[in-house]
Amino acid sequence: GIQVEQSPPDLILQEGANSTLRCNFSDSVNNLQWFHQNPWGQLINLFYIPSGTKQNGRLSATTVATERYSLLYISSSQTTDSGVYFCAVVNYGQNFVFGPGTRLSVLP
Amino acid sequence: DTAVSQTPKYLVTQMGNDKSIKCEQNLGHDTMYWYKQDSKKFLKIMFSYNNKELIINETVPNRFSPKSPDKAHLNLHINSLELGDSAVYFCASSQDYVGYGYTFGSGTRLTVV
């Protein structure tokens, strides 16, 4: 099955800093998504991004499907950005596969 | 209105018991899922349902059985609970099978003692 890797596993930032999270996957996929799990455990869908670039406020994501990676950019980070960021991929007829996550801590 | 609702939020039970977790979505989505999240935060899919039909059953013990009375509901029944079943279980739904509009419930924390 598809393997999903995320880097870095842990990231500590000072409020206001920018960061880039990476997701690598081992095979071509029909869809890729980014999720944020906040410190209270709630999972929020950030981006549906099988290819190309999308932006939503301070967050943006880019997926280069031909090279099997996706990047999540967080600009001007805030303490509310803390939590775990997951990428997940899927192919037709297969189940979603989640990466191990990047644990982000934004310090005030 | 909560888009994907799970009940109960917390469940503490003894080994050997049988328990159910309910999930309902009001988004009109066609696909629903059950996930298990362990203490290290790894998310592992257990079941996927599309329009009330099981489409892929991941390798989970037979003690776990999903039941979908209609496409808005996907319940999880667990027989003979074991200590290793302790985890957070998430229900989710999406508009289609590639995950458009993916929405998670708030999770059920199951503790087996």
Side-chain angles (χ1 to χ4, degrees):
Chain A
I2 297 176
Q3 305 296 314
V4 181
E5 300 175 346
Q6 290 186 244
S7 59
D10 296 281
L11 186 58
I12 300 175
L13 298 175
Q14 210 61 44
E15 201 168 24
N18 303 328
S19 62
T20 301
L21 282 56
R22 187 176 179 104
C23 173
N24 292 333
F25 43 99
S26 60
D27 203 349
S28 58
V29 296
N30 293 119
N31 183 25
L32 183 144
Q33 300 201 108
W34 284 96
F35 295 90
H36 175 221
Q37 186 168 35
N38 65 25
W40 297 270
Q42 189 177 9
L43 280 152
I44 305 296
N45 189 344
L46 298 177
F47 293 104
Y48 173 96
I49 187 165
S51 63
T53 297
K54 290 186 177 179
Q55 179 152 10
N56 185 1
R58 295 180 296 101
L59 272 59
S60 64
T62 296
T63 297
V64 183
T66 53
E67 297 186 22
R68 300 178 187 168
Y69 73 89
S70 183
L71 302 174
L72 179 68
Y73 306 95
I74 305 174
S75 64
S76 303
S77 57
Q78 300 176 358
T79 55
T80 51
D81 296 330
S82 296
V84 183
Y85 289 81
F86 293 100
C87 73
V89 300
V90 70
N91 273 330
Y92 288 120
Q94 300 179 22
N95 260 322
F96 270 87
V97 177
F98 275 68
T102 291
R103 189 181 300 268
L104 174 65
S105 298
V106 181
L107 306 178
Chain B
D1 276 349
T2 303
V4 180
S5 59
Q6 292 179 232
T7 54
K9 192 172 177 63
Y10 300 96
L11 187 52
V12 181
T13 188
Q14 290 187 325
M15 283 176 55
N17 284 351
D18 302 339
K19 291 293 179 185
S20 292
I21 306 172
K22 295 185 176 181
C23 179
E24 176 181 2
Q25 54 97 2
N26 62 5
L27 298 167
H29 285 170
D30 286 341
T31 309
M32 295 185 73
Y33 314 83
W34 276 108
Y35 284 85
K36 179 180 180 180
Q37 187 173 42
D38 62 23
S39 57
K40 295 184 178 179
K41 298 289 192 182
F42 288 121
L43 271 165
K44 182 88 163 64
I45 195 162
M46 301 174 70
F47 301 102
S48 298
Y49 260 83
N50 188 48
N51 280 323
K52 295 173 55 181
E53 294 186 11
L54 179 67
I55 44 179
I56 298 176
N57 182 354
E58 290 295 301
T59 306
V60 298
N62 291 337
R63 301 180 294 103
F64 290 81
S65 55
K67 287 185 172 52
S68 182
D70 55 60
K71 78 171 192 175
H73 296 83
L74 181 63
N75 304 322
L76 183 65
H77 189 75
I78 315 169
N79 290 325
S80 304
L81 278 155
E82 301 178 355
L83 293 177
D85 297 332
S86 296
V88 180
Y89 292 84
F90 286 96
C91 175
S93 72
S94 64
Q95 186 170 309
D96 55 30
Y97 190 55
V98 287
Y100 190 75
Y102 216 107
T103 305
F104 277 92
S106 57
T108 296
R109 182 175 293 277
L110 172 65
T111 304
V112 183
V113 297

